[in-house]
Amino acid sequence: MRLVLLGAPGSGKGTQAARLREHLQVPHISTGDLLRAAVRAGTPLGLQAKAVMESGGLVSDEIVLGMLEERLTAGDTGNGFILDGYPRNLAQANALDTLLARLHQPVDVAVQLDVDTELLIGRLAGRAQVEGRADDTPEAVRNRLKIYDEATAPVVEFYRQSGRLVHLDGVGTMDEVFQRIVEALAPTPDVG
Ligand code: AP5
């Protein structure tokens, strides 16, 4: 299965992708994780991305697409993948469809996790205390949420219009949300 996870910062994409990786036995590809690894390694790409990420902005479409293409052609996505953090705007959504058409691996389904803003802010504040992620500061979180509303929310409509969207409530325990996703992805029994 080739799955895209959509949702605002803190909606649980990374949390659920880690569980779905075990369940579906396909790789979890997170552009945020790939970028953070590049920052840690001090690669030229990481050096370019660091300040943008810390401010909560989006890294350039060109950089992220190049990095993603490299990851999607690594040879382990034959049975599918879970994409987390991409696409984040309409240009990325179109670029992804073009890339995956070329690789003969089109997206099957996009799952959107819906969580209220207050709860998102609470979750990210909690993670800031535990992990100290550089972009979980109040100012960067505000910027990430604003960019999500302006640039990323239209991507949901992109998948709805192409009949590939599953929209789910992302509120509840991690187990409850996981169960909802698994049920939504299960094939509908043939009642004919
Ligand atoms: P990225 O790493 O993708 O961050 P994000 O989208 O802001 O998402 P988060 O990781 O904050 O949240 P999540 O939805 O994964 O939630 P999580 O499971 O972690 O991107 C970071 C940056 O990289 C971007 O800002 C940008 O600069 C750059 N970037 C990445 N992709 C890019 C792209 N395509 N183009 C351009 N730039 C890009 O959960 C959050 C917290 O909530 C955790 O503490 C978790 O334990 C907790 N939690 C999760 N689920 C629950 C639950 N059900 N109940 C209670 N707590 C929960």
Side-chain angles (χ1 to χ4, degrees):
M1 172 171 294
R2 292 176 295 270
L3 167 68
V4 167
L5 275 182
L6 300 172
S11 59
K13 303 182 297 294
T15 301
Q16 298 301 332
R19 291 165 176 235
L20 287 166
R21 175 183 54 203
E22 300 304 317
H23 181 75
L24 299 171
Q25 292 290 304
V26 296
H28 166 202
I29 300 176
S30 155
T31 47
D33 285 350
L34 291 172
L35 285 165
R36 280 185 288 276
V39 170
R40 274 196 304 275
T43 64
L45 186 155
L47 293 174
Q48 245 180 297
K50 187 171 187 288
V52 179
M53 291 176 75
E54 284 177 4
S55 72
L58 289 185
V59 177
S60 88
D61 290 348
E62 198 186 352
I63 288 183
V64 185
L65 181 64
M67 195 184 68
L68 182 65
E69 178 163 5
E70 198 177 307
R71 180 62 190 87
L72 283 170
T73 50
D76 61 348
T77 57
N79 289 328
F81 51 79
I82 302 153
L83 196 48
D84 153 21
Y86 195 100
R88 273 182 133 90
N89 57 34
L90 286 175
Q92 291 189 3
N94 282 302
L96 181 65
D97 271 1
T98 303
L99 169 62
L100 292 178
R102 182 152 52 80
L103 300 177
H104 305 291
Q105 295 185 344
V107 168
D108 295 311
V109 62
V111 172
Q112 154 79 1
L113 296 176
D114 201 16
V115 177
D116 281 353
T117 306
E118 288 307 307
L119 197 51
L120 296 171
I121 291 171
R123 286 184 185 176
L124 295 175
R127 186 173 65 188
Q129 288 183 342
V130 179
E131 294 179 22
R133 208 172 103 173
D135 60 349
D136 279 343
T137 59
E139 195 185 339
V141 166
R142 262 197 306 279
N143 200 21
R144 286 160 64 200
L145 290 171
K146 182 167 175 280
I147 288 176
Y148 177 79
D149 283 342
E150 291 171 0
T152 314
V155 172
V156 176
E157 202 45 42
F158 175 89
Y159 285 106
R160 193 194 314 277
Q161 279 176 11
S162 54
R164 293 175 288 176
L165 183 73
V166 170
H167 189 233
L168 294 177
D169 182 6
V171 180
T173 66
M174 295 176 195
D175 285 345
E176 285 167 347
V177 177
F178 178 65
Q179 206 47 47
R180 255 172 239 154
I181 299 174
V182 168
E183 280 168 20
L185 296 180
T188 315
D190 195 350
V191 288

